[in-house]
Every structure is written in C-alpha cells, then in structure tokens.
Amino acid sequence: MPLPLPPPELPCGPLTLRAITDDDWRLEQQLSRCAEVVRWTSYPADLSEVEARSRVARQQERARQGATQRYAIWEDDVAHGTCGLGSLGQAVPEAMYALLPTARGRGIATACVKALLDWAAGHDRPAVTIVTVDGNAASAAVARRAGFDLWQTVEGDHRGRSATLHRWRWLADPRASAPA
Ligand SMILES: CC(C)(COP(=O)(O)OP(=O)(O)OC[C@H]1O[C@@H](n2cnc3c(N)ncnc32)[C@H](O)[C@@H]1OP(=O)(O)O)[C@@H](O)C(=O)NCCC(=O)NCCS
C-alpha cells in the first residue's frame, strides 16, 4: 500500500497552507534574502528570479514524486513563509519551516507544524521529525511548543560544513512502540 500524501491545501486556523505554485517564486526569493533563513536552513542565498522559479519547479516535481510537499503559508492575501513535509516516501516524514521576519513572534511556525501533525496523525504516519542546527533557539522552541521531544544529537552536514544537529521527534501515539 503506498503511503498517503498530503493534500494541496491544509487548514491552519486563520491561515491556509497552499502547495507552492509558480507564483511563489517571489516568496522563495524573499526567503533567500533573509539572513536567518539562509543561516539555519538549506535555502540558497539571494536567489535570482530564474533561480527562484527553477527552485519552485523542482519542489513541484518533488511533490509529484511523493517525496516532499512544501506549502506557502497564507494569511488572507499575505504570504508569510513556507513549511512542509519531506521524506514522504518513508513512514516518518520531516517537518520544515521558514518565515519572513515580519511574520515571526506570533506562533505562526508552531501553528503550521501542528497543522502538519494533524494531517500526519490522521494518515498512518507514526511519527514526524524536525532537524535543527545547534544554536537555532527559535526553531528548537517551535519544536518543543509543537510537542516534539529532543531525540538524538548527531554530527552531520549543514550547508557543506560539519555541524551539530538535533533531531526532534513527535509520536502520533506516545504509548505505541516508537519507530526506529
Ligand atoms: C524558526 C522560526 C520559523 C520561528 O517562527 P515563529 O513563528 O516566529 O516562532 P516564534 O517567534 O513564535 O518563536 C517561537 C519560540 O522561539 C523563541 N525565539 C524566537 N526567536 C528567538 C531567538 N532569536 N532566540 C531565542 N529564542 C527565540 C520565542 O520566544 C518562542 O519561544 P516561547 O514559545 O518559549 O515563547 C523563524 O524564526 C524562522 O523563520 N527562522 C529562520 C528559518 C529557520 O530557522 N527555520 C527552521 C529550520 S529547522
């Protein structure tokens, strides 16, 4: 049985998560021009329009392949950032998120992660992970607030350099035996 995949749109309180469209290249470009996003995520720095459009096209292809579903985070007609689930071909997907500076400090990232968890809990996903780079206190706080526990700390690669990575895990059923 293939694993269920997230839908093109997810409700998130007053926000809506909409699968990335061609028009979202500007949002991707804005995020790529934000120092914290570039520091803590895999977003390339300072994307040109052509690069941002091709990044969107790659993400849409990855969604078609069932590998990653990335959403733009909408409040009315304002896009605040992106979030999504990767590793969808495996039972345990990985949540990701990045907000524009104007959207921070309102609990938006936590709300988005909870919307992703609601979907995961209802669709045969026993757990979800988040990976944060050591020192990213805001993202660690989001993971905690969304109900994740710190699971593993490993040395790994971040943007081509060795870094300490924290793996957080949320279990759909905390009483069930945890997946590996
Ligand atoms: C991580 C991020 C999405 C958080 O989004 P947010 O919706 O603004 O989250 P909040 O502002 O509500 O902050 C969540 C928590 O982090 C804390 N926090 C925010 N900025 C912080 C900072 N610079 N240092 C320490 N704690 C910080 C807040 O006080 C809050 O903690 P609390 O729940 O104990 O009050 C946002 O900062 C961002 O886009 N960062 C760059 C990209 C990124 O790091 N993505 C995650 C990669 S794993």
Side-chain angles (χ1 to χ4, degrees), residues 153-168:
T153 295
V154 296
E155 291 303 306
D157 176 81
H158 177 60
R159 306 186 71 89
R161 292 195 180 169
S162 156
T164 302
L165 305 177
H166 302 297
R167 292 189 77 198
W168 304 78

Side-chain angles (χ1 to χ4, degrees), residues 25-141:
W25 71 266
R26 278 195 182 80
L27 175 62
E28 291 292 76
Q29 186 179 56
Q30 281 177 293
L31 288 164
S32 79
R33 292 179 172 171
C34 169
E36 291 86 13
V37 171
V38 172
R39 178 173 180 195
W40 298 120
T41 73
S42 57
Y43 265 86
D46 200 16
L47 291 170
S48 66
E49 176 176 343
V50 170
E51 290 166 337
R53 285 185 183 279
S54 105
R55 180 176 161 88
V56 166
R58 277 198 307 279
Q59 288 177 6
Q60 291 169 326
E61 181 55 28
R62 291 182 65 72
R64 279 191 290 274
Q65 292 167 351
T68 301
Q69 181 64 68
R70 198 180 281 267
Y71 298 95
I73 303 162
W74 288 94
E75 183 173 34
D76 300 323
D77 56 354
V78 178
H80 288 313
T82 61
C83 67
L85 291 171
S87 300
L88 284 166
Q90 299 164 31
V92 178
E94 180 183 329
M96 53 196 126
Y97 38 86
L99 296 185
L100 296 172
T102 45
R104 295 186 197 154
R106 293 172 50 198
I108 288 180
T110 305
C112 291
V113 172
K114 285 184 173 170
L116 297 171
L117 297 182
D118 282 348
W119 176 83
H123 293 86
D124 287 346
R125 303 294 182 150
V128 175
T129 60
I130 291 174
V131 178
T132 63
V133 179
D134 189 50
N136 190 354
S139 186

